[in-house]
Amino acid sequence: MIIELIVILLIIFAFLAVHFEEAVYAIGSLVCMLLLLALLFALNGAFFVAIFQLAVGVGTAALLFLSSEMLSEESVKKQTIQSLIAAIAIAILLSLPVIFLSVPIIAPSIPIVFTFSQALWDLRIVDILIQGLVILVTAVGVVFFFHEIKKEKGAS
Amino acid sequence: MDYLILSVVLMGIGIYGLLSKYQFLKTVISIELITNAATMNFVLFASSILKPLGEAIFILAFSTDACISAIVLVLLVSISRKYGTCDIRELARLLHSENNDHETNNCEIIAKRE
């Protein structure tokens, strides 16, 4: 019952994150969705993932809040309570198939016995590749950013 | 209850946001929703069959996703500072007019040289 309630709330907050015109409310809804997702992971026994989701979610939320202050436009049209209620109703309707339908999944018959740490160790090459990719993308972003600043200074 | 359908619903909401909203931040939020919907499957499938490989993949995928969103936000702030708008349609129009200006300038320079 608790999991079903969490799923309904998760879909409502996900829909509101897209529906709200005001950036701060939209990000608030996204943060609530991330928290509920972490709770869902914890209830399914994935505690490491829940903690990781919380830690990264807090960082993402802080970043999004800061950028929303910089990017938000003043001329945002006000949303009525009717539209909010309609959005919540649509989200509840969307959550009904999740609760009442199910897709049969065939689990692989080969028994794989790992621990979490062993799985992380086995995936270390993927980890290194991904970290390399992240550092490369960060470097490209920083170079692009400083290039733009230099160009602006040159123009002025 | 099925987490696969939850993932599909979340992805559908994200795609709806991508298609219907024209603000930068909404686009980032929609992309976050889509990536969360995709990576959620790893964890929930893995925990349903008691194999932690999916959790390990989730941690790798989610850290990459967080870095990418940070970089996208930096680029968005830089672009919105430069052009003074957060609307994607407006930006596309501005970029189009800027390109047209460059082309006319180039044509004028070539004409002067000739």
Coordinates of all heavy atoms in Angstrom, one line a residue, chain A residues 72-142:
Chain A
S72 N 15.1 32.5 -14.7 CA 13.6 32.7 -14.7 C 13.3 34.0 -15.3 O 13.9 35.0 -15.0 CB 13.1 32.5 -13.3 OG 13.7 33.5 -12.5
E73 N 12.2 34.0 -16.1 CA 11.7 35.3 -16.7 C 10.6 35.9 -15.8 O 9.9 35.2 -15.1 CB 11.1 35.0 -18.1 CG 12.2 34.6 -19.1 CD 11.7 34.1 -20.4 OE1 10.4 34.0 -20.5 OE2 12.5 33.9 -21.3
E74 N 10.6 37.3 -15.9 CA 9.6 37.9 -15.0 C 8.2 37.8 -15.5 O 7.2 37.7 -14.7 CB 9.9 39.4 -14.9 CG 11.2 39.7 -14.1 CD 11.7 41.1 -14.2 OE1 11.0 41.9 -14.8 OE2 12.7 41.4 -13.6
S75 N 8.0 37.7 -16.8 CA 6.6 37.6 -17.4 C 6.1 36.2 -17.5 O 5.9 35.7 -18.6 CB 6.6 38.3 -18.8 OG 7.5 37.6 -19.6
V76 N 6.0 35.6 -16.3 CA 5.4 34.2 -16.3 C 3.9 34.3 -16.0 O 3.6 35.0 -15.1 CB 6.1 33.3 -15.3 CG1 5.5 32.0 -15.2 CG2 7.6 33.2 -15.6
K77 N 3.1 33.7 -16.9 CA 1.7 33.8 -16.7 C 1.3 33.0 -15.4 O 1.8 31.9 -15.2 CB 0.9 33.4 -17.9 CG 1.1 32.0 -18.3 CD 0.3 31.7 -19.5 CE 0.5 30.2 -19.9 NZ -0.2 29.9 -21.1
K78 N 0.3 33.6 -14.7 CA -0.1 32.9 -13.5 C -1.0 31.7 -13.8 O -1.8 31.8 -14.7 CB -1.0 33.9 -12.6 CG -0.1 35.0 -12.0 CD 0.4 34.6 -10.7 CE 1.3 35.7 -10.1 NZ 2.1 35.2 -8.9
Q79 N -0.8 30.7 -13.1 CA -1.6 29.5 -13.3 C -2.8 29.4 -12.3 O -2.6 29.7 -11.1 CB -0.8 28.2 -13.2 CG 0.1 28.1 -14.4 CD 1.0 26.8 -14.3 OE1 1.7 26.7 -13.4 NE2 0.9 26.0 -15.3
T80 N -3.9 29.0 -12.8 CA -5.1 29.0 -11.9 C -5.1 27.7 -11.1 O -4.4 26.7 -11.4 CB -6.4 29.1 -12.7 OG1 -6.4 28.0 -13.6 CG2 -6.5 30.4 -13.4
I81 N -5.9 27.7 -10.0 CA -6.0 26.5 -9.2 C -6.7 25.4 -10.0 O -6.4 24.2 -9.8 CB -6.8 26.8 -7.9 CG1 -6.0 27.8 -7.1 CG2 -7.0 25.5 -7.1 CD1 -6.7 28.3 -5.9
Q82 N -7.6 25.8 -10.9 CA -8.3 24.8 -11.8 C -7.3 24.0 -12.6 O -7.4 22.8 -12.7 CB -9.3 25.5 -12.7 CG -10.6 25.9 -12.0 CD -10.5 27.2 -11.4 OE1 -9.5 27.8 -11.3 NE2 -11.7 27.7 -10.9
S83 N -6.3 24.7 -13.2 CA -5.3 24.0 -14.0 C -4.4 23.1 -13.2 O -4.1 22.0 -13.6 CB -4.5 25.0 -14.8 OG -3.5 25.5 -14.0
L84 N -4.2 23.5 -11.9 CA -3.4 22.7 -11.0 C -4.2 21.4 -10.7 O -3.6 20.3 -10.7 CB -3.1 23.5 -9.8 CG -2.2 22.8 -8.7 CD1 -0.8 22.5 -9.2 CD2 -2.1 23.6 -7.4
I85 N -5.5 21.6 -10.4 CA -6.3 20.4 -10.0 C -6.4 19.5 -11.2 O -6.3 18.2 -11.1 CB -7.7 20.9 -9.5 CG1 -7.5 21.6 -8.2 CG2 -8.6 19.7 -9.4 CD1 -8.7 22.3 -7.7
A86 N -6.5 20.1 -12.4 CA -6.6 19.3 -13.7 C -5.3 18.5 -13.9 O -5.4 17.3 -14.2 CB -6.9 20.1 -14.9
A87 N -4.2 19.1 -13.6 CA -2.9 18.4 -13.7 C -2.8 17.3 -12.8 O -2.3 16.2 -13.1 CB -1.8 19.4 -13.5
I88 N -3.2 17.5 -11.5 CA -3.1 16.4 -10.5 C -4.1 15.3 -10.9 O -3.7 14.1 -10.8 CB -3.5 17.0 -9.1 CG1 -2.4 17.9 -8.7 CG2 -3.6 15.8 -8.1 CD1 -2.7 18.7 -7.4
A89 N -5.2 15.6 -11.5 CA -6.2 14.6 -11.9 C -5.6 13.8 -13.0 O -5.7 12.5 -13.0 CB -7.5 15.2 -12.3
I90 N -4.9 14.4 -14.0 CA -4.3 13.7 -15.1 C -3.2 12.8 -14.6 O -3.1 11.6 -15.0 CB -3.8 14.7 -16.2 CG1 -4.9 15.4 -16.9 CG2 -2.9 14.0 -17.2 CD1 -4.5 16.6 -17.7
A91 N -2.4 13.3 -13.6 CA -1.3 12.5 -13.1 C -1.9 11.3 -12.4 O -1.3 10.2 -12.5 CB -0.5 13.4 -12.1
I92 N -3.0 11.5 -11.6 CA -3.6 10.3 -10.9 C -4.1 9.3 -12.0 O -3.9 8.1 -11.8 CB -4.7 10.7 -10.0 CG1 -4.1 11.5 -8.8 CG2 -5.5 9.6 -9.5 CD1 -5.1 12.2 -7.9
L93 N -4.7 9.8 -13.1 CA -5.1 8.9 -14.1 C -3.9 8.1 -14.7 O -4.1 6.9 -15.1 CB -5.8 9.7 -15.2 CG -7.3 10.0 -15.0 CD1 -7.9 10.8 -16.1 CD2 -8.1 8.7 -14.8
L94 N -2.8 8.8 -14.9 CA -1.6 8.2 -15.5 C -1.1 7.1 -14.5 O -0.4 6.2 -15.0 CB -0.5 9.2 -15.7 CG -0.7 10.1 -17.0 CD1 0.3 11.2 -17.0 CD2 -0.6 9.3 -18.2
S95 N -1.3 7.3 -13.2 CA -0.7 6.4 -12.3 C -1.6 5.1 -12.2 O -1.1 4.1 -11.6 CB -0.6 7.0 -10.9 OG -1.8 7.3 -10.4
L96 N -2.8 5.1 -12.7 CA -3.7 3.9 -12.6 C -3.1 2.7 -13.3 O -3.1 1.6 -12.7 CB -5.1 4.3 -13.1 CG -5.9 5.2 -12.2 CD1 -7.3 5.4 -12.8 CD2 -6.0 4.7 -10.8
P97 N -2.6 2.9 -14.6 CA -2.0 1.7 -15.2 C -0.8 1.1 -14.5 O -0.6 -0.1 -14.5 CB -1.6 2.2 -16.6 CG -2.2 3.5 -16.8 CD -2.6 4.0 -15.5
V98 N -0.1 2.0 -13.8 CA 1.1 1.5 -13.1 C 0.7 0.5 -11.9 O 1.3 -0.5 -11.7 CB 1.9 2.7 -12.5 CG1 3.1 2.2 -11.8 CG2 2.3 3.6 -13.6
I99 N -0.5 0.9 -11.3 CA -0.9 0.1 -10.1 C -1.7 -1.2 -10.6 O -1.5 -2.2 -10.0 CB -1.8 1.0 -9.2 CG1 -0.9 2.1 -8.6 CG2 -2.4 0.2 -8.1 CD1 -1.6 3.2 -8.1
F100 N -2.5 -1.0 -11.6 CA -3.4 -2.2 -11.9 C -2.8 -3.1 -13.0 O -3.3 -4.2 -13.2 CB -4.7 -1.6 -12.3 CG -5.4 -1.0 -11.1 CD1 -5.7 0.3 -11.1 CD2 -5.8 -1.8 -10.0 CE1 -6.3 0.9 -10.0 CE2 -6.4 -1.2 -8.9 CZ -6.6 0.2 -8.9
L101 N -1.9 -2.6 -13.9 CA -1.4 -3.5 -15.0 C -0.1 -4.1 -14.6 O 0.6 -3.6 -13.7 CB -1.3 -2.7 -16.2 CG -2.5 -2.1 -16.9 CD1 -2.2 -1.4 -18.1 CD2 -3.6 -3.2 -17.2
S102 N 0.3 -5.2 -15.2 CA 1.6 -5.7 -15.0 C 2.1 -6.4 -16.3 O 1.3 -6.9 -17.1 CB 1.6 -6.7 -13.9 OG 0.9 -7.8 -14.2
V103 N 3.4 -6.4 -16.5 CA 4.0 -7.0 -17.7 C 4.8 -8.2 -17.2 O 5.6 -8.1 -16.3 CB 5.0 -6.0 -18.4 CG1 5.6 -6.6 -19.6 CG2 4.2 -4.7 -18.8
P104 N 4.5 -9.4 -17.8 CA 5.3 -10.6 -17.3 C 6.7 -10.5 -17.7 O 7.1 -10.1 -18.9 CB 4.6 -11.7 -18.1 CG 3.9 -11.1 -19.2 CD 3.5 -9.7 -18.8
I105 N 7.6 -10.7 -16.8 CA 9.0 -10.6 -17.0 C 9.7 -12.0 -16.7 O 9.4 -12.6 -15.6 CB 9.7 -9.6 -16.1 CG1 9.1 -8.2 -16.4 CG2 11.2 -9.5 -16.2 CD1 9.4 -7.2 -15.3
I106 N 10.4 -12.5 -17.6 CA 11.1 -13.8 -17.4 C 12.5 -13.5 -16.9 O 13.3 -12.9 -17.6 CB 11.1 -14.6 -18.7 CG1 9.7 -14.8 -19.3 CG2 11.8 -15.9 -18.5 CD1 9.6 -15.1 -20.7
A107 N 12.8 -13.9 -15.7 CA 14.1 -13.7 -15.1 C 15.1 -14.7 -15.7 O 14.7 -15.8 -16.1 CB 14.0 -13.9 -13.6
P108 N 16.3 -14.3 -16.0 CA 17.3 -15.3 -16.5 C 17.5 -16.4 -15.6 O 17.6 -16.3 -14.4 CB 18.6 -14.4 -16.7 CG 18.4 -13.3 -15.8 CD 16.9 -13.0 -15.7
S109 N 17.6 -17.6 -16.2 CA 17.7 -18.8 -15.4 C 19.2 -19.1 -14.9 O 19.4 -19.9 -14.0 CB 17.3 -20.0 -16.2 OG 18.0 -20.1 -17.4
I110 N 20.2 -18.4 -15.5 CA 21.5 -18.6 -15.0 C 21.8 -17.9 -13.7 O 21.5 -16.7 -13.6 CB 22.5 -18.0 -16.1 CG1 22.2 -18.5 -17.5 CG2 24.0 -18.3 -15.7 CD1 22.7 -17.6 -18.6
P111 N 22.1 -18.6 -12.7 CA 22.3 -18.0 -11.4 C 23.6 -17.1 -11.4 O 24.7 -17.7 -11.7 CB 22.4 -19.1 -10.4 CG 22.8 -20.3 -11.2 CD 22.4 -20.1 -12.6
I112 N 23.5 -15.9 -11.1 CA 24.7 -15.0 -11.0 C 24.8 -14.6 -9.5 O 23.9 -13.9 -9.0 CB 24.6 -13.8 -11.9 CG1 24.3 -14.2 -13.3 CG2 25.9 -12.9 -11.8 CD1 23.9 -13.1 -14.2
V113 N 25.9 -14.9 -8.9 CA 26.0 -14.6 -7.4 C 27.1 -13.5 -7.3 O 28.2 -13.8 -7.5 CB 26.3 -15.8 -6.6 CG1 26.3 -15.4 -5.1 CG2 25.3 -16.9 -6.9
F114 N 26.7 -12.3 -7.0 CA 27.6 -11.2 -6.8 C 27.3 -10.5 -5.5 O 26.1 -10.5 -5.1 CB 27.4 -10.1 -7.8 CG 27.7 -10.2 -9.2 CD1 26.7 -10.0 -10.1 CD2 28.9 -10.6 -9.6 CE1 27.0 -10.1 -11.4 CE2 29.2 -10.7 -11.0 CZ 28.2 -10.4 -11.9
T115 N 28.2 -9.8 -5.0 CA 27.9 -8.8 -4.0 C 27.9 -7.5 -4.7 O 28.4 -7.4 -5.8 CB 28.9 -8.8 -2.9 OG1 30.2 -8.6 -3.4 CG2 28.9 -10.2 -2.1
F116 N 27.4 -6.4 -4.0 CA 27.4 -5.1 -4.6 C 28.8 -4.6 -4.9 O 29.1 -4.1 -6.0 CB 26.7 -4.1 -3.6 CG 26.6 -2.7 -4.1 CD1 25.8 -2.4 -5.2 CD2 27.4 -1.7 -3.5 CE1 25.7 -1.1 -5.7 CE2 27.3 -0.5 -4.0 CZ 26.5 -0.1 -5.0
S117 N 29.8 -4.8 -3.9 CA 31.1 -4.4 -4.1 C 31.8 -5.1 -5.3 O 32.6 -4.6 -6.1 CB 31.9 -4.6 -2.8 OG 31.8 -5.9 -2.4
Q118 N 31.5 -6.4 -5.4 CA 32.1 -7.2 -6.5 C 31.6 -6.7 -7.9 O 32.3 -6.6 -8.8 CB 31.7 -8.7 -6.3 CG 32.5 -9.6 -7.1 CD 32.1 -11.0 -7.0 OE1 31.3 -11.4 -6.1 NE2 32.6 -11.9 -7.9
A119 N 30.3 -6.4 -7.9 CA 29.7 -5.9 -9.1 C 30.4 -4.5 -9.5 O 30.7 -4.3 -10.7 CB 28.2 -5.6 -9.0
L120 N 30.6 -3.7 -8.5 CA 31.3 -2.4 -8.8 C 32.7 -2.7 -9.3 O 33.2 -2.0 -10.2 CB 31.3 -1.5 -7.6 CG 30.3 -0.5 -7.4 CD1 30.5 0.3 -6.1 CD2 30.2 0.5 -8.6
W121 N 33.4 -3.7 -8.7 CA 34.8 -4.0 -9.1 C 34.8 -4.5 -10.5 O 35.7 -4.2 -11.3 CB 35.4 -5.0 -8.1 CG 36.8 -5.4 -8.4 CD1 37.2 -6.6 -8.7 CD2 37.9 -4.5 -8.4 NE1 38.5 -6.6 -9.0 CE2 39.0 -5.3 -8.8 CE3 38.1 -3.2 -8.1 CZ2 40.3 -4.8 -8.9 CZ3 39.4 -2.7 -8.2 CH2 40.5 -3.5 -8.6
D122 N 33.8 -5.4 -10.8 CA 33.8 -6.0 -12.2 C 33.5 -4.9 -13.2 O 33.9 -5.1 -14.4 CB 32.7 -7.0 -12.2 CG 33.1 -8.3 -11.5 OD1 34.3 -8.4 -11.1 OD2 32.3 -9.2 -11.2
L123 N 32.8 -3.8 -12.8 CA 32.5 -2.8 -13.8 C 33.5 -1.7 -13.8 O 33.2 -0.6 -14.2 CB 31.1 -2.2 -13.5 CG 29.9 -3.1 -13.9 CD1 28.7 -2.5 -13.4 CD2 29.9 -3.1 -15.4
R124 N 34.7 -1.9 -13.2 CA 35.6 -0.7 -13.0 C 36.1 -0.2 -14.4 O 36.3 1.0 -14.5 CB 36.8 -1.2 -12.2 CG 37.7 -2.3 -12.8 CD 38.7 -2.7 -11.7 NE 39.6 -3.7 -12.2 CZ 39.3 -5.0 -12.4 NH1 38.1 -5.5 -12.1 NH2 40.2 -5.9 -12.9
I125 N 36.2 -1.0 -15.4 CA 36.6 -0.5 -16.7 C 35.6 0.5 -17.3 O 35.9 1.5 -17.8 CB 36.9 -1.6 -17.7 CG1 37.5 -1.1 -19.0 CG2 35.8 -2.5 -18.0 CD1 38.8 -0.5 -18.9
V126 N 34.3 0.1 -17.1 CA 33.2 1.0 -17.5 C 33.3 2.3 -16.7 O 33.1 3.4 -17.3 CB 31.8 0.3 -17.3 CG1 30.7 1.2 -17.8 CG2 31.8 -1.0 -18.0
D127 N 33.5 2.2 -15.4 CA 33.7 3.3 -14.5 C 34.7 4.3 -15.0 O 34.5 5.5 -15.2 CB 33.9 2.9 -13.1 CG 33.9 4.0 -12.1 OD1 33.2 5.0 -12.4 OD2 34.5 3.9 -11.1
I128 N 35.9 3.7 -15.4 CA 37.0 4.5 -15.8 C 36.7 5.2 -17.2 O 36.9 6.4 -17.4 CB 38.3 3.7 -16.0 CG1 38.8 3.3 -14.6 CG2 39.4 4.4 -16.7 CD1 39.8 2.2 -14.6
L129 N 36.0 4.5 -18.1 CA 35.7 5.0 -19.4 C 34.7 6.2 -19.2 O 34.8 7.2 -19.8 CB 35.0 4.0 -20.2 CG 36.0 3.0 -20.9 CD1 35.3 1.9 -21.7 CD2 36.9 3.8 -21.9
I130 N 33.7 6.0 -18.3 CA 32.7 7.0 -18.0 C 33.3 8.2 -17.4 O 33.0 9.4 -17.8 CB 31.5 6.4 -17.2 CG1 30.7 5.5 -18.0 CG2 30.6 7.5 -16.7 CD1 29.6 4.8 -17.3
Q131 N 34.2 8.0 -16.5 CA 34.9 9.1 -15.8 C 35.7 9.9 -16.8 O 35.7 11.2 -16.8 CB 35.8 8.7 -14.7 CG 35.0 8.3 -13.5 CD 35.9 7.9 -12.3 OE1 37.0 8.4 -12.2 NE2 35.4 7.1 -11.4
G132 N 36.3 9.2 -17.7 CA 37.1 9.9 -18.8 C 36.2 10.7 -19.7 O 36.5 11.8 -20.0
L133 N 35.0 10.1 -20.0 CA 34.0 10.8 -20.8 C 33.5 12.1 -20.1 O 33.4 13.2 -20.7 CB 32.9 9.9 -21.1 CG 31.8 10.5 -22.0 CD1 32.3 10.5 -23.5 CD2 30.5 9.6 -22.0
V134 N 33.3 11.9 -18.8 CA 32.8 13.1 -18.0 C 33.8 14.2 -18.0 O 33.5 15.4 -18.2 CB 32.4 12.6 -16.6 CG1 32.2 13.8 -15.7 CG2 31.2 11.8 -16.6
I135 N 35.1 13.8 -17.8 CA 36.2 14.8 -17.7 C 36.3 15.5 -19.1 O 36.5 16.7 -19.1 CB 37.5 14.2 -17.2 CG1 37.3 13.8 -15.8 CG2 38.7 15.1 -17.4 CD1 38.4 12.9 -15.3
L136 N 36.2 14.7 -20.1 CA 36.3 15.3 -21.5 C 35.2 16.3 -21.7 O 35.5 17.4 -22.2 CB 36.3 14.1 -22.5 CG 36.4 14.6 -24.0 CD1 37.8 15.0 -24.3 CD2 36.0 13.4 -24.9
V137 N 34.0 15.9 -21.4 CA 32.8 16.8 -21.6 C 33.0 18.0 -20.8 O 32.7 19.2 -21.2 CB 31.5 16.0 -21.3 CG1 30.3 17.0 -21.4 CG2 31.3 14.9 -22.3
T138 N 33.4 17.9 -19.5 CA 33.6 19.0 -18.6 C 34.7 20.0 -19.2 O 34.5 21.2 -19.3 CB 34.1 18.6 -17.2 OG1 33.3 17.5 -16.8 CG2 34.0 19.7 -16.2
A139 N 35.8 19.4 -19.7 CA 36.8 20.2 -20.3 C 36.3 21.0 -21.5 O 36.6 22.2 -21.7 CB 38.0 19.3 -20.7
V140 N 35.5 20.3 -22.4 CA 35.0 21.0 -23.6 C 34.0 22.1 -23.1 O 34.1 23.2 -23.7 CB 34.2 19.9 -24.5 CG1 33.4 20.6 -25.5 CG2 35.2 18.9 -25.1
G141 N 33.2 21.8 -22.1 CA 32.3 22.9 -21.6 C 33.0 24.1 -21.1 O 32.7 25.2 -21.4
V142 N 34.1 23.8 -20.3 CA 34.9 24.9 -19.7 C 35.6 25.7 -20.8 O 35.6 26.9 -20.8 CB 35.9 24.4 -18.7 CG1 36.8 25.4 -18.2 CG2 35.1 23.8 -17.5

